[in-house]
Amino acid sequence: MDVLRYILVLLGTFIVMEGITWCTHRFIMHGFLWYLHKDHHQTEPGFFEKNDAFFIIFAIPSMLLIYFGTFDKMWWMQAIGFGIMAYGVAYFIVHDVIIHQRFKWFTRSNNSYVRTIRWAHKMHHKHLDRHNGESFGMLYVHKKYWEKIRRDKKLMAGSRKVAYAPEAD
Ligand SMILES: [Zn+2]
Ligand SMILES: [Zn+2]
């Protein structure tokens, strides 16, 4: 069925994009294009960052694939284009809104996944220069960050119990 294949290509592209993002971030943004990414690690005043150029860099192939896919009736090309676009939207919501809160749309969340991606990315930002980085992905995070959040939640629950425990006589 064509619709099903279309969705599979789109979802496949979305998943592959997380890997491409990791590689781009690890080897290109922290590599020869560090001069564009640097102001994301060493914050400078102003709303826009040079780092925002990467949105355009990723939007161009996505738009070209949608454009040529539509006009040449190459459905798979269009599906890949929309997959890249969908990942871009998800990345924007997770990285720019939820993590860095450039827009105050979602404020504090206690959701484990939200806390985990925030923590993992915070660890990425702990490194101010381009070397010895960690956590270059975005939507998929290493289990050590999950474990840290789980430990924190347990500790919080524990201290709450102690604080509110009725006095023993
Ligand atoms: Zn970085
Ligand atoms: Zn960031």
Side-chain angles (χ1 to χ4, degrees):
M1 191 192 166
D2 268 349
V3 178
L4 189 67
R5 277 201 289 176
Y6 192 98
I7 292 169
L8 281 177
V9 171
L10 199 149
L11 285 180
T13 304
F14 188 96
I15 292 163
V16 167
M17 275 306 289
E18 174 72 9
I20 292 178
T21 301
W22 189 94
C23 292
T24 309
H25 190 183
R26 173 78 180 76
F27 298 112
I28 296 176
M29 295 162 84
H30 282 240
F32 78 102
L33 287 182
W34 170 249
Y35 72 99
L36 285 176
H37 185 53
K38 187 180 170 207
D39 69 349
H40 186 61
H41 281 262
Q42 303 170 17
T43 320
E44 288 167 15
F47 180 77
F48 287 104
E49 298 170 350
K50 286 194 199 80
N51 186 54
D52 293 332
F54 289 103
F55 276 107
I56 300 160
I57 292 172
F58 277 109
I60 291 168
S62 160
M63 274 167 8
L64 289 176
L65 285 162
I66 294 170
Y67 181 86
F68 288 110
T70 307
F71 283 98
D72 298 339
K73 297 199 168 39
M74 309 260 259
W75 66 269
W76 56 269
M77 227 188 212
Q78 197 196 48
I80 292 174
F82 278 123
I84 297 174
M85 185 187 269
Y87 185 83
V89 170
Y91 187 96
F92 175 78
I93 292 171
V94 167
H95 179 257
D96 294 84
V97 179
I98 294 179
I99 295 177
H100 289 294
Q101 311 203 343
R102 291 173 86 178
F103 302 92
K104 311 283 175 209
W105 293 341
F106 306 95
T107 40
R108 300 186 163 277
S109 167
N110 200 30
N111 177 278
S112 291
Y113 178 65
V114 170
R115 286 185 54 178
T116 302
I117 51 178
R118 265 191 186 145
W119 176 254
H121 196 65
K122 204 175 165 182
M123 289 301 100
H124 177 73
H125 277 285
K126 193 178 72 179
H127 306 277
L128 295 182
D129 64 12
R130 55 190 277 193
H131 307 290
N132 314 314
E134 63 179 291
S135 185
F136 289 93
M138 186 49 54
L139 304 180
Y140 173 80
V141 288
H142 192 276
K143 71 175 194 312
K144 71 179 181 199
Y145 304 110
W146 281 100
E147 281 158 6
K148 139 96 184 149
I149 296 303
R150 230 171 268 144
R151 270 199 311 272
D152 279 5
K153 281 199 153 180
K154 236 181 245 166
L155 272 173
M156 256 176 58
S159 64
R160 216 178 285 134
K161 231 177 265 162
V162 170
Y164 296 115
E167 310 258 329
D169 46 9

